[in-house]
Amino acid sequence: ASGDFVSRFINDTNAIREAGLRVANNLTKGIVTVIGAFISMLLIDWQLTLVLLVAYPIAFGPVIALGNSVRKRAKTAQQQVGEVTSLLSEGFQSGRVVKAYGLEDYQSQRMSKGFLDRARLYLKVLTDKAAVDPILEVTGGIAIAGVLAISAWRISQGDSTLGDFIGFLGLIGLAAPEIRALGTLNAVAQEGGAAADRIFEVLEAPDVISDKADARPLAEVKGRLEFDDVSFHYPDGSPALKGLSFTALPGETIAIVGPSGAGKSTIFNLLLRLYDPATGEVSLDGVNIADLRGVDLRGAMALVSQDAALFDDTIEANIRLGKMDANDESLRNAAIRADADGFIETLPVKYSTQVGEGGRNLSGGQRQRVALARAILRDAPILLLDEATSALDADSEARVQAALTEFAKDRTTLIIAHRLSTVRNADRILVVEDGCVVETGSHDELIAQGGVYARLAKLQLS
């Protein structure tokens, strides 16, 4: 869950910082003070010092055990903070649905449970940490009682003096607070250690998708894409592709259609090498994409997806993400071709308008046009359109489709679409069902076949 990662970045790093500050400020001071005090005690009376040296290590056994318990419980508590963070993010992002369906009480109950679990786990950690001082106090009291008894006996025997005894007590008074501080410091360090464990779980996790040591730089891209008997399963075990094969020639526009869950978006994920296929091979210009550098591979592609992800920045900045060094004229031309310039110019500060978190200050259609402008600005030889015009009205869609048709010339274009009206002019249409290509051809050819495509077309017309 994203909230768990956010928690690791913020809460866990704060826990490490606090532990680090406490250790840095108190560890050296405490150790030096305790060692100095015990050396002085040894010089005054080594026999009494042995009593303390036996008593305090016995006390530190339970203290260390409590520290280990703190580490385990702190890790559980920190994991639960991640769950609460996810719940909060989900609640804030789904505010419209919560209001529309009257789910305020439901959300409050979910959050109340999360906060109560948080309080319960935090109190367990505090209980373990609070138990350290009493253990050390009791042990210290027993040790001092032993020192008093032995000192009284030795003074009565003439083996020690009252001055030595008073000096010894003074040194105990100097060392005891530092020993208690070191005991509580162990619990703090263990809490920080639990946070460090969670952070290093991420830092040390192996890259699932990474460049090979001998990865090849990408030469001039012609745009031939090929899937050769590709199979893929998602982590939950559900099959997405089952031996899928097709070839897209340079400059060809191919539409990929089919029922929901057929594996259409998985094709794009594999092309971008967000995943690797379980079997088979995905290649670009005859080279397995797993042998190419990821930055070069993705640099040759421009993606527009139906969710139109925008960052909380200006419209200009979001478009410029397609090509960071683009000049203002190129950026404006991309916006015009994406039918975005018109609405942008009506805004008070035009291209400097903040889009808000996830682009929430813009309508769905406006977000999609900004995302299209970003892809057009990228000017990549391969264009991937995943329901790229789904949020546009009919008039805007017609203009954008015309612009995309012109833009797609001389570049390989793959289009995922549910609305079959948007793919009629594709060079070829691939019909994907149950992870396989089951039909291929032009719109008219597929209608004439009377298969899956014809059925989908009939359903849409009806």
Side-chain angles (χ1 to χ4, degrees):
S2 60
D4 182 60
F5 284 102
V6 172
S7 179
R8 294 183 199 227
F9 273 99
I10 299 174
N11 298 309
D12 292 353
T13 51
N14 282 340
I16 292 175
R17 183 195 64 190
E18 293 300 321
L21 286 173
R22 288 281 300 275
V23 170
N25 290 334
N26 298 328
L27 183 62
T28 303
K29 171 178 171 286
I31 290 175
V32 170
T33 301
V34 170
I35 290 175
F38 271 92
I39 290 174
S40 299
M41 291 179 198
L42 283 169
L43 295 175
I44 293 174
D45 193 324
W46 66 269
Q47 293 172 315
L48 288 179
T49 305
L50 284 178
V51 174
L52 296 178
L53 289 175
V54 170
Y56 275 112
I58 293 173
F60 267 91
V63 169
I64 292 172
L66 282 171
N68 292 333
S69 176
V70 166
R71 191 182 189 109
K72 293 176 183 176
R73 286 182 171 172
K75 191 170 185 177
T76 303
Q78 289 154 359
Q79 289 171 343
Q80 201 272 337
V81 171
E83 295 171 8
V84 170
T85 305
S86 289
L87 281 173
L88 285 169
S89 298
E90 183 182 70
F92 293 141
Q93 292 170 4
S94 305
R96 187 182 186 190
V97 174
V98 170
K99 288 288 185 183
Y101 282 86
L103 301 175
E104 292 88 347
D105 290 342
Y106 168 75
Q107 280 292 90
S108 294
Q109 290 171 8
R110 292 180 74 203
M111 290 312 308
S112 293
K113 182 180 182 301
F115 288 135
L116 286 172
D117 287 344
R118 169 65 179 151
R120 176 180 55 80
L121 290 168
Y122 189 60
L123 284 173
K124 286 184 177 180
V125 174
L126 287 180
T127 300
D128 286 343
K129 291 167 70 174
V132 172
D133 273 346
I135 291 173
L136 292 175
E137 289 285 357
V138 170
T139 305
I142 293 172
I144 290 175
V147 167
L148 286 172
I150 294 172
S151 294
W153 179 76
R154 296 189 69 222
I155 289 172
S156 67
Q157 297 295 314
D159 295 331
S160 183
T161 65
L162 183 60
D164 288 343
F165 172 66
I166 292 173
F168 202 89
L169 281 182
L171 290 169
I172 291 176
L174 179 66
E178 298 298 336
I179 292 173
R180 287 198 299 273
L182 289 174
T184 56
L185 194 63
N186 175 60
V188 172
Q190 293 296 341
E191 192 172 9
D197 288 343
R198 281 170 42 82
I199 289 175
F200 279 99
E201 282 177 5
V202 176
L203 295 179
E204 295 179 350
D207 291 333
V208 178
I209 303 294
S210 60
D211 291 347
K212 295 180 179 178
D214 58 348
R216 298 163 53 177
L218 188 59
E220 182 181 357
V221 178
K222 296 177 181 177
R224 179 186 174 92
L225 298 171
E226 188 172 0
F227 277 64
D228 182 14
D229 196 26
V230 171
S231 297
F232 178 77
H233 292 74
Y234 281 105
D236 62 1
S238 58
L241 300 179
K242 304 173 184 176
L244 181 136
S245 297
F246 74 88
T247 300
L249 301 176
E252 190 175 22
T253 296
I254 289 184
I256 304 171
V257 303
S260 297
K264 301 185 296 296
S265 294
T266 303
I267 293 173
F268 279 15
N269 290 337
L270 292 173
L271 271 174
L272 291 162
R273 207 175 169 230
L274 304 181
Y275 305 105
D276 278 334
T279 61
E281 183 177 296
V282 181
S283 61
L284 169 59
D285 292 339
V287 180
N288 189 335
I289 63 172
D291 296 328
L292 298 171
R293 296 192 309 189
V295 64
D296 293 341
L297 172 69
R298 297 176 189 119
M301 301 182 185
L303 170 70
V304 183
S305 58
Q306 57 185 325
D307 55 10
L310 300 184
F311 295 89
D312 190 3
D313 206 333
T314 64
I315 290 176
E316 178 185 345
N318 272 282
I319 297 176
R320 197 179 294 280
L321 291 174
K323 191 175 183 180
M324 298 298 290
D325 58 352
N327 57 42
D328 292 343
E329 183 181 358
S330 298
L331 187 145
R332 179 78 180 270
N333 287 335
I336 291 172
R337 295 173 74 178
D339 195 35
D341 182 71
F343 86 81
I344 294 173
E345 287 295 324
T346 65
L347 300 172
V349 289
K350 300 180 172 51
Y351 283 82
S352 297
T353 300
Q354 291 284 331
V355 304
E357 183 183 16
R360 66 185 178 191
N361 294 342
L362 305 179
S363 70
Q366 290 171 340
R367 288 196 297 270
Q368 209 151 25
R369 279 178 277 182
V370 170
L372 277 167
R374 180 167 61 199
I376 292 172
L377 182 65
R378 190 171 183 83
D379 196 25
I382 298 171
L383 182 61
L384 307 178
L385 304 176
D386 186 356
E387 292 287 341
T389 59
S390 61
L392 302 181
D393 58 70
D395 183 49
S396 294
E397 183 181 28
R399 293 200 300 270
V400 170
Q401 285 287 0
L404 286 174
T405 299
E406 180 66 25
F407 180 67
K409 289 180 179 178
D410 301 323
R411 70 188 75 228
T412 306
T413 304
L414 268 61
I415 304 171
I416 292 175
H418 285 105
R419 287 190 292 189
L420 303 186
S421 60
T422 64
V423 301
R424 294 186 62 159
N425 295 324
D427 296 320
R428 272 191 299 143
I429 300 172
L430 305 181
V431 182
V432 178
E433 187 174 50
D434 198 25
C436 300
V437 175
V438 294
E439 295 175 1
T440 182
S442 67
H443 171 79
D444 292 337
E445 290 171 345
L446 293 174
I447 290 293
Q449 289 179 22
V452 177
Y453 184 86
R455 186 180 75 243
L456 291 172
K458 184 177 180 181
L459 285 172
Q460 289 196 15
L461 289 174
S462 63

